[in-house]
Amino acid sequence: MIEEIFNEALTRKSVFKNRDALSPHYVPDNLPYREKQIQELSKTLAPILSGRKPENVFIYGKTGTGKTVVTKFVVKKLTEFAAQKNIPVDAVYINCRIHNTRSKVFIKIGSELLPEENFMGMSTAYIYEKILGKIRESDKRLIIVLDEIDKLKGLSDAVYSLNRANDELENGSISLIGISNNLTFKDRLDPRTKSTLLQHEMIFPPYNAESLRRILEDRAKIAFRDGAVEPGAIALVAAYAAKQSGDARYALQLLLRAGDVADEEGAERVTEKHVERAKEIVEEDIILEMISTLPENEQILLLALAKMTQEGQGIRGFGTETRITSGDLYNAYARLSETLGRDPVSERWFREYISDLAMYGIITVTQAGKGFKGNTRLIRLNFSPRKIIDVLEPRLMG
DNA sequence: TGTCCACTGGAAGGGAGGGCTT
DNA sequence: AAGCCCTCCCTTCCAGTGGACA
């Protein structure tokens, strides 16, 4: 019985040849439509080879525009090149969503550079000195990539001390690459951090449907068996992803899921039908991921909005859409909060939540204008209310 | 035209919690 | 360990905005 399951798994035909090639962590050898960015970043970092400290780089652009993958690609090529020429270039990649404080960042750098030491529980000053010692001793040029840098608490301190290291070093250097998809983040930095981090700024534009198609074709060749994906399926994935503001990560995720769906059906090839089905799954994945990281009050607010939308409350007259005024939503939110035994936040803070959710793209907010009494905003849910309720109700009620 | 209404969003400040210094 | 400071989350207060209605 169990052997049957294992046997089936072993002999099962799959449309995939190398499924990992569609994972968000995969770095391909070829990055179409990013040649300019690759060149620019390479040029900026190149002085490191002749022992000069390159400018710090700050990269920003929307999700899925290739920021991380281009950075990893260039850094990898650079360190490989340097290794051939016996130049001590080293790079540390840090995701600040995981390593989100100054000390965690220092521990991460320390343990990459000195894997034999254990830095847990050590003071940041101690780790800092250890890192500098290592750089000095081997004339090392260190590149530190801080991905999702907007998630780093105490950012200015971290940036300042890492950059200051250059003044204390006679040999070697530290260069920073900051990556963020939060476009307003830059403006919130204090002037000192700004001038340090933004010595060189790069913006990654979103991909259009045509470029997404090319990217997907390239990647499909690696990931799938020959002819296992219909061209129409790829075009459809590209079209959907272009609608998602040109998000390549979404495109790859969609293609991956479409392959899974095809495998589950035991199909020979991935078709448009599989993409349609995958789109629903991916949308659920995204909702789930986005919602589960939201603060509880925002979850309650979303649930209230989903319920109102579901029941068709609010104002009709925008086609089949239902839009809800912020005052009505606040009342619904406050009632729901009390039902759940939580204290609702004030109206002022509720407005902050609304802006937050709008920024994430979960809801859309428009000025009400004519036909509405007073100055209010209309709020619309961008996802299916049914799915939101399915995710949130057990989470909040249970 | 003025008043009311239904909000909006800035400013200031409270208080809890975490990290750093002493 | 104690004190301090900083950040985050939140409240209170309020001037401002824009449409409805008399």
Side-chain angles (χ1 to χ4, degrees):
Chain A
M1 176 64 188
I2 294 174
E3 276 84 357
E4 257 173 55
I5 299 174
F6 292 159
N7 246 324
E8 216 246 21
L10 194 64
T11 53
R12 173 174 233 157
K13 278 191 301 175
S14 170
V15 290
F16 292 111
K17 186 167 66 186
N18 177 10
R19 193 171 173 279
D20 290 340
L22 296 173
S23 117
H25 307 292
Y26 183 81
V27 181
D29 295 327
N30 210 348
L31 288 166
Y33 299 98
R34 283 295 175 253
E35 291 85 3
K36 255 170 61 189
Q37 283 79 6
I38 291 172
Q39 263 203 11
E40 187 179 340
L41 187 57
S42 307
K43 267 189 195 163
T44 314
L45 295 178
I48 210 170
L49 294 166
S50 55
R52 282 174 288 142
K53 185 207 167 298
E55 290 180 313
N56 294 328
V57 185
F58 184 68
I59 297 174
Y60 64 103
K62 287 190 176 171
T63 324
T65 48
K67 302 180 296 295
T68 304
V69 77
V70 162
T71 307
K72 279 187 174 174
F73 179 83
V74 171
V75 167
K76 188 173 150 222
K77 292 277 174 198
L78 178 65
T79 45
E80 278 171 8
F81 181 87
Q84 276 174 27
K85 309 271 173 195
N86 258 328
I87 305 170
V89 173
D90 221 330
V92 182
Y93 172 86
I94 300 168
N95 186 325
C96 300
R97 201 207 303 228
I98 298 153
H99 308 276
N100 59 351
T101 64
R102 188 167 71 129
S103 41
K104 282 181 192 164
V105 165
F106 274 58
I107 290 172
K108 171 81 176 159
I109 301 169
S111 51
E112 294 259 323
L113 237 50
L114 300 143
E116 66 281 1
E117 294 222 25
N118 179 16
F119 291 108
M120 272 322 212
M122 301 291 163
S123 79
T124 44
Y126 174 81
I127 305 172
Y128 178 78
E129 284 309 322
K130 279 282 180 185
I131 294 169
L132 288 205
K134 179 74 183 173
I135 292 174
R136 252 189 221 112
E137 160 202 317
S138 46
D139 186 23
K140 199 173 277 296
R141 300 99 201 246
L142 182 64
I143 300 170
I144 297 172
V145 182
L146 297 165
D147 204 350
E148 303 196 51
I149 193 170
D150 43 313
K151 300 285 186 313
L152 180 58
K153 286 170 214 148
L155 168 84
S156 354
D157 277 353
V159 167
Y160 177 70
S161 38
L162 288 173
N163 194 61
R164 192 197 53 191
N166 287 302
D167 303 332
E168 296 182 24
L169 287 167
E170 315 76 45
N171 303 324
S173 63
I174 293 182
S175 316
L176 301 174
I177 301 179
I179 303 176
S180 168
N181 53 23
N182 187 335
L183 304 179
T184 59
F185 168 71
K186 182 181 87 160
D187 306 320
R188 296 202 310 265
L189 292 171
D190 67 88
R192 196 183 60 182
T193 315
K194 214 170 173 175
S195 66
T196 308
L197 201 55
L198 275 66
Q199 288 168 355
H200 190 97
E201 235 180 299
M202 287 177 69
I203 301 165
F204 278 50
Y207 297 105
N208 61 28
E210 181 51 32
S211 5
L212 284 168
R213 203 175 51 73
R214 224 334 262 300
I215 292 169
L216 288 166
E217 277 168 3
D218 275 17
R219 207 64 81 84
K221 271 185 208 138
I222 309 168
F224 291 97
R225 286 187 294 102
D226 279 353
V229 189
E230 287 186 1
I234 290 199
L236 190 60
V237 171
Y240 280 139
K243 262 195 209 157
Q244 289 281 329
S245 57
D247 184 343
R249 204 182 56 182
Y250 173 86
L252 294 168
Q253 197 184 355
L254 190 51
L255 190 58
L256 176 77
R257 287 289 177 215
D260 287 341
V261 171
D263 269 359
E264 267 164 42
E265 283 184 10
E268 294 276 318
R269 317 175 72 196
V270 181
T271 66
E272 293 179 28
K273 211 181 74 214
H274 299 133
V275 173
E276 296 288 357
R277 176 73 197 101
K279 186 169 171 272
E280 283 185 32
I281 297 172
V282 168
E283 187 174 330
E284 272 164 41
D285 287 353
I286 290 172
I287 293 177
L288 196 73
E289 202 202 306
M290 202 153 45
I291 284 177
S292 51
T293 58
L294 250 31
E296 190 179 80
N297 271 318
E298 289 187 21
Q299 295 187 6
I300 296 172
L301 162 45
L302 255 188
L303 181 56
L305 178 60
K307 285 191 167 183
M308 285 180 90
T309 311
Q310 174 98 340
E311 290 158 17
Q313 290 180 41
I315 298 103
R316 294 196 175 267
F318 296 88
T320 53
E321 278 174 37
T322 306
R323 298 202 190 191
I324 290 153
T325 62
S326 54
D328 288 346
L329 182 55
Y330 180 75
N331 291 332
Y333 153 77
R335 272 200 308 276
L336 182 61
S337 274
E338 270 156 29
T339 318
L340 296 171
R342 273 92 154 177
D343 285 338
V345 294
S346 68
E347 285 189 60
R348 182 65 189 85
W349 200 247
F350 166 83
R351 273 174 238 134
E352 296 294 323
Y353 283 156
I354 294 288
S355 322
D356 223 34
L357 293 172
M359 199 190 72
Y360 291 136
I362 300 173
I363 60 174
T364 301
V365 175
T366 46
Q367 207 64 36
K370 281 191 177 141
F372 294 88
K373 201 177 179 184
N375 181 19
T376 187
R377 293 182 301 179
L378 296 175
I379 294 146
R380 189 193 46 172
L381 194 58
N382 288 340
F383 294 99
S384 127
R386 183 74 258 156
K387 282 175 188 159
I388 303 256
I389 294 170
D390 284 350
V391 172
L392 285 182
E393 218 162 36
R395 194 176 277 267
L396 293 167
M397 309 277 190

